[in-house]
Amino acid sequence: MNRRRNLIIPAAGALEIIEEQLPEVPEGGLLLETLVTGLSAGTELAFVKGDHPGLRSSLDADLGLFLPHSAGTAYPIRRLGYMEVARVAESRTAAFSEGDVLACAYGHATVHVADPLNEHLVLLSEDLDPLLGVFVAHLGPICANGLLHAAAEATGGTVRGLADGVDGRQVLVTGAGPIGLLTALFARSLGAREVAVADSDPRRRRTAEELGFLALDLEDDPGRLLKARWRHGPADRGADVVFQCRGRPEALHAALRASRPQGSIIDLAFYTSGADAVRLGEEFHHNGLSLRCAQIGRVPRGLAGHWDRARLSSETIKLLRSHGDMIRKHLITDVVPYDDAPLLIHEVSQRQRHVLTAVFAVAPAYL
């Protein structure tokens, strides 16, 4: 096996599956055959539509600054996606055996040569549905990292577990995409007193209701309802913690309005077009709120030694074990053959099709 098929974006608005030459498997490496690969709609559609910030600027990692007029990414985009599950076809390391099933993040390719020393690979047990495995390597850890940031905010950094930020607390999640719904399931499973989920799409609100959450219309000012429902004391109403999971400025503004005074908004969203509609002179200023970015590239300061990506993946697997049937039924809305991936992504980008999580099956057994 010296070739693979790979889904790429040759130019804005275009998608194509091409054939590529594979490198030899080096000593210490693995040859992985993809079973299924999931669509990360937010990040991937930003490249399809051409509005990903990386197409207009580049990050200077040393300065921590985005530099305009110097694109960090250009077409063709040859590595797309981060939700893969694969079987080890050849192993040149004692760390993994042929036949092992791994959760990985290498893009929508049918085969991949992996370096276990430099890639995040998670061994999946035989009793875990490989379709659920698409959440393990990256998307689930995004959500777990949000819970970790909430725990650090609540404890001042002395975190015992992910429950520290939500146990016994009233939680709002803004955005009912896969990240929002997984985050809501995390919060409830870790002891939140009540979890509300707000989204502007009635189909996503219906899914939130089916999962047992209080579903609110994001466009109907959920803060007004929640501040009547969640009272902590005089002049102290609203969500203890808000997880902002929708990359739209109006969602962030709704999160600020729904938080109790001195509450925390844990922001997991990716604002490809900025956030011009956010008003910082009102609730944010007068209620003394805290806005914390929980971007997956970092865990809270001081916790990196205890909370690495492997541990966040392990927490994801715990959630999948306890809520797997529910997640499979409600969050994985589309499973289609790999060859149909370009059409599905195009239809989603044009708002001709609605998905929560779409999975492309390379191995026919998973259709």
Side-chain angles (χ1 to χ4, degrees), residues 185-237:
L185 287 169
F186 261 122
R188 187 172 64 192
S189 71
L190 293 166
R193 195 186 331 169
E194 186 174 19
V195 180
V197 177
D199 198 280
S200 56
D201 189 320
R203 295 165 296 188
R204 295 190 172 198
R205 291 199 302 274
R206 186 163 54 250
T207 299
E209 286 180 345
E210 291 170 351
L211 289 168
F213 300 114
L214 173 64
L216 305 174
D217 189 340
L218 192 61
E219 297 179 2
D220 197 26
D221 195 8
R224 290 294 293 268
L225 183 150
L226 292 177
K227 288 193 173 185
R229 185 181 182 95
W230 291 344
R231 181 182 185 275
H232 309 281
D236 187 3
R237 299 171 179 272

Side-chain angles (χ1 to χ4, degrees), residues 35-37 131 332-345 353 355 357-364 366-367:
L35 302 177
V36 293
T37 174
L131 286 173
I332 299 179
T333 54
D334 298 74
V335 181
V336 303
Y338 177 79
D339 284 347
D340 292 350
L343 176 61
L344 183 144
I345 295 173
R353 183 169 183 165
V355 304
T357 302
V359 175
F360 310 131
V362 178
Y366 297 101
L367 286 169

